[in-house]
Amino acid sequence: MTFRPVSRYFARTRICAVSAALALPLVALAWVHPAEARIRCVNGNQIVNGSLLATPYCQDELVASVAREHGMKVSASEVRNNPNYKRNVCQFVGRDIRIYQACIDANSAGRRGF
């Protein structure tokens, strides 16, 4: 015995209800945005849970940014991965107050400053 709807109207409404029920989760998934996985830096500080935290990663980003402002072609990854290059960048930029804290370790050669 086959199922026969009373009328075509009821058959169409049942199909519409099923398709709407299947489409609703797809629409809900479209509104969900994936989490942003990159590190956000502001003036040499990383944003962690809404507050600023000084991290070496962001400090090196700042060093590279200031060096680019002074006309040096430098990438942040090269500053992070090569301490000698970071020392050269810090010496090139000089005593810029924005990167003074980030360049303390790179400029120290084991001697006390004057």
Side-chain angles (χ1 to χ4, degrees):
M1 189 181 246
T2 60
F3 174 75
R4 299 194 114 200
V6 177
S7 71
R8 288 185 176 171
Y9 173 76
F10 290 119
R12 267 190 255 143
T13 56
R14 179 175 288 163
I15 291 171
C16 289
V18 170
S19 62
L22 292 175
L24 187 63
L26 296 175
V27 171
L29 286 176
W31 281 328
V32 175
H33 297 288
E36 195 172 327
R38 69 179 185 91
I39 295 174
R40 292 181 19 216
C41 298
V42 175
N43 294 330
N45 298 310
Q46 182 177 340
I47 298 174
V48 178
N49 294 332
S51 60
L52 296 175
L53 179 67
T55 60
Y57 180 88
C58 291
Q59 292 286 319
D60 292 342
E61 290 276 338
L62 181 65
V63 168
S65 172
V66 171
R68 282 191 294 270
E69 288 178 14
H70 284 273
M72 187 175 189
K73 291 182 180 178
V74 60
S75 68
S77 64
E78 195 167 6
V79 170
R80 271 193 303 276
N81 296 326
N82 189 347
N84 290 327
Y85 192 71
K86 181 177 180 179
R87 182 173 52 242
N88 291 341
V89 169
C90 288
Q91 288 173 354
F92 174 79
V93 172
R95 298 265 181 197
D96 194 323
I97 192 68
R98 294 175 289 174
I99 61 169
Y100 177 75
Q101 190 70 31
C103 286
I104 285 177
D105 294 334
N107 283 334
S108 67
R111 296 186 211 157
R112 196 171 152 193
F114 294 109

